[in-house]
PDB file of all heavy atoms in Angstrom:
ATOM      1  N   THR A 194       0.988 -14.511   1.949  1.00 97.00           N
ATOM      2  CA  THR A 194       0.808 -15.280   0.696  1.00 97.00           C
ATOM      3  C   THR A 194      -0.587 -15.043   0.320  1.00 97.00           C
ATOM      4  O   THR A 194      -1.475 -14.758   1.120  1.00 97.00           O
ATOM      5  CB  THR A 194       1.013 -16.726   0.934  1.00 97.00           C
ATOM      6  OG1 THR A 194       0.209 -17.203   1.899  1.00 97.00           O
ATOM      7  CG2 THR A 194       2.559 -17.019   1.240  1.00 97.00           C
ATOM      8  N   GLN A 195      -0.837 -15.082  -1.075  1.00 98.00           N
ATOM      9  CA  GLN A 195      -2.152 -14.930  -1.584  1.00 98.00           C
ATOM     10  C   GLN A 195      -2.501 -16.033  -2.503  1.00 98.00           C
ATOM     11  O   GLN A 195      -1.589 -16.473  -3.330  1.00 98.00           O
ATOM     12  CB  GLN A 195      -2.244 -13.608  -2.349  1.00 98.00           C
ATOM     13  CG  GLN A 195      -2.210 -12.377  -1.441  1.00 98.00           C
ATOM     14  CD  GLN A 195      -2.304 -11.124  -2.280  1.00 98.00           C
ATOM     15  OE1 GLN A 195      -1.524 -10.177  -2.094  1.00 98.00           O
ATOM     16  NE2 GLN A 195      -3.420 -10.989  -2.986  1.00 98.00           N
ATOM     17  N   THR A 196      -3.733 -16.481  -2.567  1.00 97.00           N
ATOM     18  CA  THR A 196      -4.190 -17.470  -3.460  1.00 97.00           C
ATOM     19  C   THR A 196      -5.461 -17.123  -4.114  1.00 97.00           C
ATOM     20  O   THR A 196      -6.362 -16.612  -3.388  1.00 97.00           O
ATOM     21  CB  THR A 196      -4.392 -18.844  -2.710  1.00 97.00           C
ATOM     22  OG1 THR A 196      -3.212 -19.109  -1.996  1.00 97.00           O
ATOM     23  CG2 THR A 196      -4.740 -19.985  -3.735  1.00 97.00           C
ATOM     24  N   PRO A 197      -5.671 -17.170  -5.466  1.00 97.00           N
ATOM     25  CA  PRO A 197      -4.704 -17.575  -6.481  1.00 97.00           C
ATOM     26  C   PRO A 197      -3.828 -16.427  -6.879  1.00 97.00           C
ATOM     27  O   PRO A 197      -3.993 -15.344  -6.489  1.00 97.00           O
ATOM     28  CB  PRO A 197      -5.596 -18.069  -7.627  1.00 97.00           C
ATOM     29  CG  PRO A 197      -6.803 -17.213  -7.540  1.00 97.00           C
ATOM     30  CD  PRO A 197      -6.975 -16.899  -6.051  1.00 97.00           C
ATOM     31  N   LYS A 198      -2.869 -16.659  -7.790  1.00 97.00           N
ATOM     32  CA  LYS A 198      -2.042 -15.564  -8.439  1.00 97.00           C
ATOM     33  C   LYS A 198      -2.763 -14.865  -9.503  1.00 97.00           C
ATOM     34  O   LYS A 198      -2.635 -13.728  -9.734  1.00 97.00           O
ATOM     35  CB  LYS A 198      -0.746 -16.195  -8.820  1.00 97.00           C
ATOM     36  CG  LYS A 198       0.160 -16.654  -7.703  1.00 97.00           C
ATOM     37  CD  LYS A 198       1.519 -17.065  -8.227  1.00 97.00           C
ATOM     38  CE  LYS A 198       2.499 -17.152  -7.046  1.00 97.00           C
ATOM     39  NZ  LYS A 198       2.046 -18.109  -6.077  1.00 97.00           N
ATOM     40  N   PHE A 199      -3.491 -15.755 -10.322  1.00 97.00           N
ATOM     41  CA  PHE A 199      -4.280 -15.187 -11.434  1.00 97.00           C
ATOM     42  C   PHE A 199      -5.649 -15.888 -11.440  1.00 97.00           C
ATOM     43  O   PHE A 199      -5.802 -16.938 -11.100  1.00 97.00           O
ATOM     44  CB  PHE A 199      -3.492 -15.528 -12.719  1.00 97.00           C
ATOM     45  CG  PHE A 199      -2.135 -15.027 -12.879  1.00 97.00           C
ATOM     46  CD1 PHE A 199      -1.139 -15.847 -12.485  1.00 97.00           C
ATOM     47  CD2 PHE A 199      -1.858 -13.777 -13.315  1.00 97.00           C
ATOM     48  CE1 PHE A 199       0.255 -15.433 -12.651  1.00 97.00           C
ATOM     49  CE2 PHE A 199      -0.570 -13.296 -13.396  1.00 97.00           C
ATOM     50  CZ  PHE A 199       0.430 -14.167 -13.033  1.00 97.00           C
ATOM     51  N   ARG A 200      -6.650 -15.058 -12.033  1.00 97.00           N
ATOM     52  CA  ARG A 200      -7.891 -15.695 -12.169  1.00 97.00           C
ATOM     53  C   ARG A 200      -8.633 -14.863 -13.262  1.00 97.00           C
ATOM     54  O   ARG A 200      -8.628 -13.663 -13.297  1.00 97.00           O
ATOM     55  CB  ARG A 200      -8.684 -15.566 -10.879  1.00 97.00           C
ATOM     56  CG  ARG A 200     -10.027 -16.327 -10.890  1.00 97.00           C
ATOM     57  CD  ARG A 200      -9.874 -17.893 -10.949  1.00 97.00           C
ATOM     58  NE  ARG A 200     -11.319 -18.494 -11.087  1.00 97.00           N
ATOM     59  CZ  ARG A 200     -12.003 -18.902 -10.097  1.00 97.00           C
ATOM     60  NH1 ARG A 200     -11.541 -18.734  -8.828  1.00 97.00           N
ATOM     61  NH2 ARG A 200     -13.126 -19.493 -10.401  1.00 97.00           N
ATOM     62  N   VAL A 201      -9.432 -15.591 -14.049  1.00 97.00           N
ATOM     63  CA  VAL A 201     -10.341 -14.936 -14.965  1.00 97.00           C
ATOM     64  C   VAL A 201     -11.732 -15.452 -14.728  1.00 97.00           C
ATOM     65  O   VAL A 201     -12.031 -16.638 -14.600  1.00 97.00           O
ATOM     66  CB  VAL A 201      -9.942 -15.352 -16.514  1.00 97.00           C
ATOM     67  CG1 VAL A 201     -10.935 -14.732 -17.378  1.00 97.00           C
ATOM     68  CG2 VAL A 201      -8.528 -14.956 -16.783  1.00 97.00           C
ATOM     69  N   LEU A 202     -12.622 -14.430 -14.548  1.00 97.00           N
ATOM     70  CA  LEU A 202     -13.979 -14.729 -14.227  1.00 97.00           C
ATOM     71  C   LEU A 202     -14.910 -14.138 -15.338  1.00 97.00           C
ATOM     72  O   LEU A 202     -14.581 -13.298 -16.036  1.00 97.00           O
ATOM     73  CB  LEU A 202     -14.425 -14.104 -12.958  1.00 97.00           C
ATOM     74  CG  LEU A 202     -13.835 -14.636 -11.586  1.00 97.00           C
ATOM     75  CD1 LEU A 202     -14.439 -13.753 -10.417  1.00 97.00           C
ATOM     76  CD2 LEU A 202     -14.308 -16.066 -11.437  1.00 97.00           C
ATOM     77  N   LYS A 203     -16.081 -14.675 -15.415  1.00 97.00           N
ATOM     78  CA  LYS A 203     -17.134 -14.118 -16.209  1.00 97.00           C
ATOM     79  C   LYS A 203     -18.125 -13.310 -15.314  1.00 97.00           C
ATOM     80  O   LYS A 203     -18.225 -13.489 -14.197  1.00 97.00           O
ATOM     81  CB  LYS A 203     -17.888 -15.210 -16.964  1.00 97.00           C
ATOM     82  CG  LYS A 203     -17.119 -16.048 -18.020  1.00 97.00           C
ATOM     83  CD  LYS A 203     -17.958 -17.118 -18.685  1.00 97.00           C
ATOM     84  CE  LYS A 203     -17.191 -17.874 -19.627  1.00 97.00           C
ATOM     85  NZ  LYS A 203     -18.017 -18.897 -20.322  1.00 97.00           N
ATOM     86  N   THR A 204     -18.569 -12.254 -15.983  1.00 98.00           N
ATOM     87  CA  THR A 204     -19.504 -11.380 -15.178  1.00 98.00           C
ATOM     88  C   THR A 204     -20.597 -12.201 -14.548  1.00 98.00           C
ATOM     89  O   THR A 204     -21.256 -13.084 -15.138  1.00 98.00           O
ATOM     90  CB  THR A 204     -20.224 -10.380 -16.193  1.00 98.00           C
ATOM     91  OG1 THR A 204     -19.187  -9.545 -16.738  1.00 98.00           O
ATOM     92  CG2 THR A 204     -21.155  -9.547 -15.416  1.00 98.00           C
ATOM     93  N   GLY A 205     -20.817 -11.871 -13.219  1.00 97.00           N
ATOM     94  CA  GLY A 205     -21.795 -12.638 -12.437  1.00 97.00           C
ATOM     95  C   GLY A 205     -21.273 -13.791 -11.654  1.00 97.00           C
ATOM     96  O   GLY A 205     -22.016 -14.224 -10.713  1.00 97.00           O
ATOM     97  N   GLN A 206     -20.063 -14.331 -11.953  1.00 97.00           N
ATOM     98  CA  GLN A 206     -19.533 -15.339 -11.205  1.00 97.00           C
ATOM     99  C   GLN A 206     -18.974 -14.918  -9.857  1.00 97.00           C
ATOM    100  O   GLN A 206     -18.745 -13.648  -9.694  1.00 97.00           O
ATOM    101  CB  GLN A 206     -18.373 -16.053 -11.999  1.00 97.00           C
ATOM    102  CG  GLN A 206     -18.866 -16.865 -13.140  1.00 97.00           C
ATOM    103  CD  GLN A 206     -17.679 -17.577 -13.803  1.00 97.00           C
ATOM    104  OE1 GLN A 206     -16.575 -17.101 -13.959  1.00 97.00           O
ATOM    105  NE2 GLN A 206     -17.941 -18.816 -14.264  1.00 97.00           N
ATOM    106  N   SER A 207     -18.833 -15.826  -8.937  1.00 96.00           N
ATOM    107  CA  SER A 207     -18.344 -15.473  -7.654  1.00 96.00           C
ATOM    108  C   SER A 207     -17.006 -16.137  -7.398  1.00 96.00           C
ATOM    109  O   SER A 207     -16.646 -17.053  -8.108  1.00 96.00           O
ATOM    110  CB  SER A 207     -19.320 -15.908  -6.576  1.00 96.00           C
ATOM    111  OG  SER A 207     -19.437 -17.315  -6.564  1.00 96.00           O
ATOM    112  N   MET A 208     -16.201 -15.538  -6.447  1.00 96.00           N
ATOM    113  CA  MET A 208     -14.955 -16.125  -6.051  1.00 96.00           C
ATOM    114  C   MET A 208     -14.456 -15.663  -4.776  1.00 96.00           C
ATOM    115  O   MET A 208     -14.938 -14.550  -4.326  1.00 96.00           O
ATOM    116  CB  MET A 208     -13.875 -15.943  -7.110  1.00 96.00           C
ATOM    117  CG  MET A 208     -13.289 -14.630  -7.187  1.00 96.00           C
ATOM    118  SD  MET A 208     -11.623 -14.613  -8.107  1.00 96.00           S
ATOM    119  CE  MET A 208     -10.657 -15.638  -7.087  1.00 96.00           C
ATOM    120  N   THR A 209     -13.562 -16.325  -4.268  1.00 97.00           N
ATOM    121  CA  THR A 209     -12.948 -15.900  -2.912  1.00 97.00           C
ATOM    122  C   THR A 209     -11.422 -15.861  -3.074  1.00 97.00           C
ATOM    123  O   THR A 209     -10.791 -16.829  -3.615  1.00 97.00           O
ATOM    124  CB  THR A 209     -13.288 -16.964  -1.815  1.00 97.00           C
ATOM    125  OG1 THR A 209     -14.718 -16.881  -1.618  1.00 97.00           O
ATOM    126  CG2 THR A 209     -12.708 -16.423  -0.476  1.00 97.00           C
ATOM    127  N   LEU A 210     -10.783 -14.763  -2.637  1.00 98.00           N
ATOM    128  CA  LEU A 210      -9.405 -14.636  -2.629  1.00 98.00           C
ATOM    129  C   LEU A 210      -8.969 -14.854  -1.179  1.00 98.00           C
ATOM    130  O   LEU A 210      -9.535 -14.446  -0.260  1.00 98.00           O
ATOM    131  CB  LEU A 210      -8.943 -13.295  -3.058  1.00 98.00           C
ATOM    132  CG  LEU A 210      -8.937 -12.881  -4.566  1.00 98.00           C
ATOM    133  CD1 LEU A 210     -10.362 -12.843  -5.136  1.00 98.00           C
ATOM    134  CD2 LEU A 210      -8.250 -11.582  -4.801  1.00 98.00           C
ATOM    135  N   LEU A 211      -7.834 -15.730  -1.062  1.00 97.00           N
ATOM    136  CA  LEU A 211      -7.371 -15.973   0.256  1.00 97.00           C
ATOM    137  C   LEU A 211      -6.018 -15.396   0.565  1.00 97.00           C
ATOM    138  O   LEU A 211      -5.229 -15.361  -0.276  1.00 97.00           O
ATOM    139  CB  LEU A 211      -7.219 -17.509   0.435  1.00 97.00           C
ATOM    140  CG  LEU A 211      -6.469 -18.082   1.669  1.00 97.00           C
ATOM    141  CD1 LEU A 211      -7.368 -17.683   2.865  1.00 97.00           C
ATOM    142  CD2 LEU A 211      -6.298 -19.547   1.535  1.00 97.00           C
ATOM    143  N   CYS A 212      -5.966 -14.769   1.794  1.00 98.00           N
ATOM    144  CA  CYS A 212      -4.716 -14.181   2.204  1.00 98.00           C
ATOM    145  C   CYS A 212      -4.345 -14.871   3.446  1.00 98.00           C
ATOM    146  O   CYS A 212      -5.107 -15.057   4.397  1.00 98.00           O
ATOM    147  CB  CYS A 212      -4.893 -12.740   2.405  1.00 98.00           C
ATOM    148  SG  CYS A 212      -3.435 -11.868   3.050  1.00 98.00           S
ATOM    149  N   ALA A 213      -3.050 -15.312   3.618  1.00 98.00           N
ATOM    150  CA  ALA A 213      -2.522 -15.891   4.832  1.00 98.00           C
ATOM    151  C   ALA A 213      -1.249 -15.205   5.106  1.00 98.00           C
ATOM    152  O   ALA A 213      -0.416 -14.909   4.362  1.00 98.00           O
ATOM    153  CB  ALA A 213      -2.333 -17.430   4.518  1.00 98.00           C
ATOM    154  N   GLN A 214      -1.087 -14.997   6.544  1.00 97.00           N
ATOM    155  CA  GLN A 214       0.170 -14.462   7.057  1.00 97.00           C
ATOM    156  C   GLN A 214       0.581 -15.226   8.210  1.00 97.00           C
ATOM    157  O   GLN A 214      -0.170 -15.689   9.002  1.00 97.00           O
ATOM    158  CB  GLN A 214       0.039 -13.000   7.388  1.00 97.00           C
ATOM    159  CG  GLN A 214      -1.049 -12.642   8.347  1.00 97.00           C
ATOM    160  CD  GLN A 214      -0.773 -12.494   9.788  1.00 97.00           C
ATOM    161  OE1 GLN A 214       0.425 -12.645  10.159  1.00 97.00           O
ATOM    162  NE2 GLN A 214      -1.668 -12.350  10.601  1.00 97.00           N
TER     163      GLN A 214
END
Side-chain angles (χ1 to χ4, degrees):
Chain A
T194 58
Q195 292 182 232
T196 308
K198 290 184 170 55
F199 304 93
R200 185 71 186 269
V201 178
L202 289 178
K203 293 182 179 178
T204 297
Q206 288 185 319
S207 63
M208 78 163 295
T209 300
L210 283 68
L211 172 63
C212 176
Q214 53 95 4

